[in-house]
Amino acid sequence: QVQLQESGPGLVKPSENLSLTCSVSGYSIRSGYYWGWIRQLPGKELEWLGTVYPDGTTRYNPSLKSRLSISPDTSKNQFALRLNSVTAEDTAVYFCEGSIYAPLDFWGQGILVTVSS
Amino acid sequence: AIQMTQSPSSLSASVGDRVAITCRASEGIRNYLNWYQQKPGNAPKLLIYAASTLKSGVPSRFSGSGSGTDFTLTITSLQPDDFATYYCLQDNDSSWTFGQGTRVEV
């Protein structure tokens, strides 16, 4: 049974960097397919952030590409998100996801990140 | 980026009703269209992928159709568990995009 779990700070100050980790169990991220991050803004809109492949290849949302980095840690069966220079507009619930048999077919429970001083 | 326009943004329905939600892409996306259901406090769940393939375990009252730019999610005989928000997602482009969601309520 594939399970994903997000971890990281729930509160980040404006202009600081946000780092989140997704721990995967029940499936090796080395095995292929892709892994990524989605966020849900306060108005409930879903926004695809980006995807990482086990070899480290990435695809990012063009609107965030300059601030976003997603990287795998195959030794820990985890992958991470880093979003630089956050503002209040980055306040959202962040979900990690795995696209194993179909796009976004496995999700973490989500973690609320608030950007505030 | 490909824009996904979902309609309606919300609808009122009753148990037993047939419900249809549409998603229109700003350019052709072949059949790279997926549907998700989200209930409050939970992550979205995949219902249908590749426009019309039902994910294993999803009730057969859910179906998807369409190709190119116009897609439809249909729920025949709405059940109490189906009151939720539904989103489409295109994965044809290297940058994936969601529709804005359709809330199905009583």
Side-chain angles (χ1 to χ4, degrees):
Chain A
Q1 182 181 356
V2 181
Q3 292 186 317
L4 293 84
Q5 178 70 59
E6 304 89 351
S7 59
L11 180 65
V12 182
K13 290 183 169 55
S15 80
E16 294 188 344
N17 300 328
L18 167 64
S19 292
L20 297 174
T21 297
C22 183
S23 299
V24 181
S25 60
Y27 196 90
S28 171
I29 68 169
R30 298 173 196 263
S31 298
Y33 306 103
Y34 23 94
W35 311 89
W37 293 90
I38 308 294
R39 69 183 180 183
Q40 187 158 38
L41 303 173
K44 302 302 181 184
E45 173 191 359
L46 290 170
E47 184 175 34
W48 174 80
L49 301 182
T51 289
V52 64
Y53 297 80
D55 67 356
T57 304
T58 52
R59 292 185 290 115
Y60 296 127
N61 186 317
S63 68
L64 296 165
K65 187 174 183 178
S66 63
R67 298 194 291 130
L68 182 62
S69 174
I70 299 176
S71 57
D73 184 340
T74 54
S75 66
K76 296 181 180 178
N77 215 38
Q78 296 175 337
F79 59 98
L81 171 147
R82 180 180 171 98
L83 184 63
N84 295 331
S85 305
V86 297
T87 71
E89 293 185 345
D90 295 311
T91 293
V93 176
Y94 286 76
F95 296 98
C96 61
E97 60 84 10
S99 298
I100 299 175
Y101 306 110
L104 311 184
D105 55 346
F106 294 94
W107 295 66
Q109 65 185 24
I111 181 169
L112 173 62
V113 176
T114 302
V115 179
S116 175
S117 54
Chain B
I2 296 174
Q3 306 299 319
M4 303 302 296
T5 303
Q6 212 174 314
S7 61
S9 56
S10 65
L11 64 90
S12 295
S14 300
V15 172
D17 284 353
R18 179 184 179 95
V19 168
I21 298 168
T22 63
C23 209
R24 174 166 288 177
S26 59
E27 60 186 81
I29 58 171
R30 297 175 285 178
N31 71 332
Y32 288 82
L33 191 285
N34 314 282
W35 291 98
Y36 301 84
Q37 176 195 67
Q38 186 180 31
K39 295 181 181 178
N42 292 327
K45 291 182 179 179
L46 175 67
L47 298 175
I48 289 170
Y49 60 97
S52 60
T53 303
L54 201 65
K55 180 180 176 179
S56 176
V58 173
S60 58
R61 62 180 180 272
F62 291 93
S63 65
S65 63
S67 183
T69 60
D70 293 308
F71 302 86
T72 302
L73 171 70
T74 302
I75 312 171
T76 57
S77 190
L78 196 69
Q79 297 302 299
D81 191 48
D82 302 338
F83 291 96
T85 301
Y86 295 84
Y87 296 90
C88 63
L89 168 80
Q90 70 80 19
D91 65 313
N92 179 73
D93 198 58
S94 59
S95 177
W96 296 358
T97 45
F98 287 93
Q100 72 271 34
T102 296
R103 184 176 178 182
V104 177
E105 52 194 2
V106 178

